[in-house]
């Protein structure tokens, strides 16, 4: 195995957290759909798929370096999803937490002189810049529009989804 037992365990934790992220965004998508905000719901359905891809990419890496992948229970997502603004706020908080966790993994890789994992993690470091930036933009858009102008937000998000 090319990685330490500790790194293997931490990567498994992150695989679980990426799956939890997918689960969370799926829940948010369903909540948005029930508010009649179909385009925002689609944005979150897509985001959930991306999180699943983040987990898959890490699963493949652990297998490539001869590690062991363990499937743990995915925690039940929680939070107040009663408005689009709350959902956008929690998305930003969630992505900041993911960033903190990725940075901790990078720090461990450097500490262990595990340069293969350090290199692998760079993709996630770069991805988090995008993820946090998108979450900040979505929150600012929703805040600026206010609850009465959500159709404008839907229109803008539709353009972003292409
Ligand atoms: Fe996989 Fe949104 O971080």
């Amino acid at each position: 195995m090319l990685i330490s037992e500790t790194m293997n365990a931490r990567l498994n934790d992150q695989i679980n957290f990426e799956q939890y992220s997918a689960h969370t965004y799926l829940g948010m998508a369903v909540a948005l759909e029930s508010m009649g905000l179909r385009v925002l719901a689609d944005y979150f359905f897509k985001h959930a798929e991306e999180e699943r891809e983040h987990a898959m990419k890490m699963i493949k890496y652990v297998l490539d370096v001869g590690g062991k992948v363990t499937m743990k229970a995915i925690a039940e997502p929680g939070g107040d999803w009663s408005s689009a603004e709350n959902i956008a706020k929690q998305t930003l908080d969630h992505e900041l937490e993911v960033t903190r966790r990725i940075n901790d993994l990078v720090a461990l890789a450097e500490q262990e002189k595990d340069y293969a994992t350090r290199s692998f993690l760079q993709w996630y470091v770069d991805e988090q810049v995008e993820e946090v930036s998108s979450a900040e933009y979505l929150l600012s858009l929703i805040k600026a529009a206010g609850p009465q102008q959500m159709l404008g937000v839907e229109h803008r998000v539709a353009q972003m989804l292409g």
Side-chain angles (χ1 to χ4, degrees), residues 22-54:
H23 217 44
T24 299
Y25 293 135
L26 208 48
M28 289 174 171
V30 170
L32 288 160
E33 182 89 28
S34 73
M35 289 173 211
L37 298 169
R38 280 223 160 136
V39 181
L40 268 173
D42 280 350
Y43 178 90
F44 277 82
F45 279 124
K46 186 166 166 270
H47 202 164
E49 277 305 307
E50 285 171 9
E51 297 301 346
R52 196 171 167 277
E53 285 165 18
H54 296 174

Coordinates of all heavy atoms in Angstrom, one line a residue, residues 22-54:
A22 N -23.6 14.8 -0.9 CA -24.5 14.5 -2.0 C -25.9 14.3 -1.4 O -26.9 14.8 -1.9 CB -24.1 13.2 -2.7
H23 N -26.0 13.6 -0.2 CA -27.2 13.4 0.5 C -27.9 14.7 0.9 O -29.1 14.9 0.8 CB -26.9 12.6 1.7 CG -27.8 11.5 2.1 ND1 -28.4 10.7 1.2 CD2 -28.3 11.2 3.3 CE1 -29.2 9.9 1.8 NE2 -29.2 10.1 3.1
T24 N -27.0 15.6 1.4 CA -27.5 16.9 1.8 C -28.1 17.7 0.7 O -29.2 18.3 0.8 CB -26.3 17.7 2.5 OG1 -25.8 17.0 3.6 CG2 -26.8 19.1 3.0
Y25 N -27.3 17.8 -0.4 CA -27.8 18.6 -1.6 C -29.1 18.0 -2.2 O -29.9 18.7 -2.8 CB -26.7 18.8 -2.6 CG -25.6 19.7 -2.0 CD1 -24.2 19.4 -2.1 CD2 -25.9 20.8 -1.3 CE1 -23.3 20.2 -1.6 CE2 -25.0 21.6 -0.7 CZ -23.6 21.3 -0.9 OH -22.7 22.1 -0.3
L26 N -29.1 16.6 -2.1 CA -30.4 16.0 -2.7 C -31.6 16.4 -1.8 O -32.6 16.7 -2.3 CB -30.1 14.5 -2.6 CG -30.9 13.5 -3.5 CD1 -30.8 14.0 -5.0 CD2 -30.3 12.1 -3.4
G27 N -31.4 16.4 -0.5 CA -32.4 16.9 0.4 C -32.8 18.3 0.1 O -34.0 18.7 0.1
M28 N -31.8 19.2 -0.1 CA -32.1 20.6 -0.4 C -32.8 20.7 -1.7 O -33.8 21.5 -1.9 CB -30.8 21.4 -0.5 CG -30.1 21.5 0.9 SD -28.5 22.3 0.7 CE -28.1 22.7 2.4
A29 N -32.5 19.9 -2.7 CA -33.1 19.9 -4.0 C -34.6 19.6 -3.9 O -35.5 20.3 -4.5 CB -32.4 19.0 -5.0
V30 N -34.9 18.6 -3.1 CA -36.3 18.2 -2.9 C -37.1 19.3 -2.2 O -38.2 19.6 -2.6 CB -36.3 16.9 -2.1 CG1 -37.7 16.5 -1.6 CG2 -35.7 15.7 -2.9
A31 N -36.4 19.9 -1.2 CA -37.1 21.0 -0.5 C -37.4 22.2 -1.4 O -38.5 22.8 -1.4 CB -36.2 21.5 0.7
L32 N -36.4 22.5 -2.3 CA -36.6 23.6 -3.3 C -37.7 23.3 -4.3 O -38.5 24.1 -4.6 CB -35.3 23.9 -4.0 CG -34.3 24.6 -3.1 CD1 -32.9 24.4 -3.7 CD2 -34.6 26.1 -2.9
E33 N -37.7 22.0 -4.7 CA -38.8 21.6 -5.6 C -40.2 21.8 -5.0 O -41.1 22.2 -5.6 CB -38.5 20.1 -6.0 CG -39.5 19.5 -7.0 CD -39.1 19.7 -8.4 OE1 -37.9 19.8 -8.7 OE2 -40.0 19.7 -9.3
S34 N -40.3 21.5 -3.7 CA -41.6 21.6 -3.0 C -42.0 23.0 -2.8 O -43.1 23.3 -2.6 CB -41.6 20.8 -1.7 OG -40.8 21.5 -0.8
M35 N -41.0 24.0 -3.0 CA -41.3 25.4 -2.9 C -41.7 25.9 -4.3 O -42.0 27.1 -4.5 CB -40.1 26.2 -2.4 CG -39.8 26.0 -1.0 SD -38.2 26.9 -0.7 CE -37.5 25.9 0.6
G36 N -41.7 25.1 -5.3 CA -42.0 25.5 -6.7 C -40.8 26.1 -7.4 O -40.9 26.7 -8.4
L37 N -39.6 26.0 -6.7 CA -38.4 26.6 -7.3 C -37.6 25.5 -8.1 O -36.6 25.0 -7.7 CB -37.5 27.2 -6.2 CG -38.2 28.4 -5.5 CD1 -37.4 28.7 -4.2 CD2 -38.4 29.6 -6.4
R38 N -38.2 25.2 -9.3 CA -37.7 24.1 -10.1 C -36.3 24.2 -10.6 O -35.5 23.3 -10.6 CB -38.6 23.9 -11.3 CG -39.9 23.1 -10.9 CD -40.2 22.1 -11.9 NE -41.1 21.1 -11.3 CZ -42.1 20.7 -11.9 NH1 -42.4 21.0 -13.2 NH2 -42.9 19.8 -11.3
V39 N -35.9 25.4 -11.0 CA -34.6 25.6 -11.6 C -33.5 25.5 -10.5 O -32.5 24.9 -10.6 CB -34.5 27.0 -12.3 CG1 -33.1 27.2 -12.9 CG2 -35.6 27.1 -13.4
L40 N -33.8 26.1 -9.3 CA -32.9 26.0 -8.2 C -32.8 24.6 -7.8 O -31.7 24.1 -7.4 CB -33.4 26.9 -7.0 CG -32.8 28.3 -6.9 CD1 -33.5 29.1 -5.8 CD2 -31.3 28.3 -6.7
A41 N -33.9 23.9 -7.8 CA -33.9 22.4 -7.4 C -33.0 21.7 -8.4 O -32.2 20.9 -8.0 CB -35.3 21.9 -7.5
D42 N -33.1 22.0 -9.7 CA -32.2 21.3 -10.7 C -30.7 21.6 -10.4 O -29.9 20.7 -10.5 CB -32.5 21.8 -12.1 CG -33.7 21.1 -12.7 OD1 -34.2 20.1 -12.0 OD2 -34.2 21.5 -13.7
Y43 N -30.4 22.8 -10.0 CA -29.1 23.2 -9.6 C -28.6 22.3 -8.5 O -27.4 21.8 -8.5 CB -29.1 24.7 -9.2 CG -27.8 25.3 -8.8 CD1 -26.9 25.8 -9.7 CD2 -27.4 25.2 -7.5 CE1 -25.7 26.4 -9.3 CE2 -26.2 25.8 -7.1 CZ -25.3 26.4 -8.0 OH -24.1 26.9 -7.6
F44 N -29.4 22.1 -7.5 CA -29.0 21.3 -6.4 C -29.0 19.8 -6.7 O -28.1 19.0 -6.2 CB -29.8 21.6 -5.1 CG -29.4 22.8 -4.4 CD1 -29.7 24.1 -4.8 CD2 -28.5 22.7 -3.3 CE1 -29.2 25.2 -4.2 CE2 -28.0 23.8 -2.7 CZ -28.4 25.0 -3.1
F45 N -29.9 19.3 -7.6 CA -29.8 17.9 -8.0 C -28.4 17.7 -8.7 O -27.8 16.7 -8.5 CB -30.9 17.6 -9.0 CG -32.3 17.3 -8.3 CD1 -33.4 18.0 -8.7 CD2 -32.3 16.2 -7.4 CE1 -34.6 17.7 -8.0 CE2 -33.6 15.9 -6.8 CZ -34.7 16.6 -7.1
K46 N -28.1 18.7 -9.6 CA -26.8 18.6 -10.3 C -25.6 18.6 -9.3 O -24.7 17.8 -9.4 CB -26.7 19.7 -11.3 CG -25.5 19.7 -12.2 CD -25.7 20.7 -13.3 CE -24.4 20.9 -14.1 NZ -23.6 22.0 -13.5
H47 N -25.7 19.4 -8.3 CA -24.7 19.5 -7.3 C -24.5 18.2 -6.5 O -23.4 17.8 -6.2 CB -25.0 20.7 -6.3 CG -23.8 21.2 -5.6 ND1 -23.8 22.4 -4.9 CD2 -22.6 20.7 -5.4 CE1 -22.6 22.6 -4.4 NE2 -21.9 21.6 -4.6
A48 N -25.7 17.6 -6.2 CA -25.6 16.3 -5.6 C -24.8 15.3 -6.4 O -24.0 14.5 -5.9 CB -27.0 15.8 -5.3
E49 N -25.1 15.3 -7.7 CA -24.4 14.4 -8.6 C -22.9 14.6 -8.6 O -22.1 13.7 -8.6 CB -24.9 14.5 -10.1 CG -26.1 13.8 -10.4 CD -26.0 12.3 -10.1 OE1 -25.0 11.7 -10.5 OE2 -26.8 11.8 -9.3
E50 N -22.5 15.9 -8.6 CA -21.1 16.3 -8.5 C -20.4 15.8 -7.3 O -19.3 15.3 -7.3 CB -20.9 17.8 -8.6 CG -21.2 18.3 -10.0 CD -21.3 19.8 -10.1 OE1 -20.9 20.5 -9.1 OE2 -21.6 20.3 -11.2
E51 N -21.2 15.8 -6.1 CA -20.6 15.3 -4.9 C -20.4 13.8 -4.9 O -19.4 13.3 -4.4 CB -21.5 15.7 -3.7 CG -21.7 17.2 -3.5 CD -20.4 17.9 -3.2 OE1 -19.3 17.3 -2.9 OE2 -20.4 19.2 -3.3
R52 N -21.3 13.2 -5.6 CA -21.1 11.7 -5.8 C -19.8 11.4 -6.6 O -19.1 10.5 -6.3 CB -22.3 11.1 -6.4 CG -22.4 9.6 -6.3 CD -23.7 9.1 -6.7 NE -23.5 7.6 -6.8 CZ -23.0 7.0 -7.8 NH1 -22.6 7.6 -8.9 NH2 -22.9 5.7 -7.8
E53 N -19.6 12.3 -7.6 CA -18.4 12.1 -8.4 C -17.1 12.4 -7.6 O -16.1 11.7 -7.8 CB -18.4 13.1 -9.6 CG -19.4 12.6 -10.7 CD -19.7 13.7 -11.7 OE1 -19.0 14.7 -11.8 OE2 -20.8 13.5 -12.4
H54 N -17.2 13.3 -6.7 CA -16.1 13.6 -5.8 C -15.7 12.4 -5.0 O -14.6 12.0 -4.7 CB -16.4 14.8 -4.8 CG -16.6 16.1 -5.5 ND1 -17.0 17.2 -4.9 CD2 -16.5 16.4 -6.8 CE1 -17.1 18.2 -5.7 NE2 -16.8 17.8 -6.9

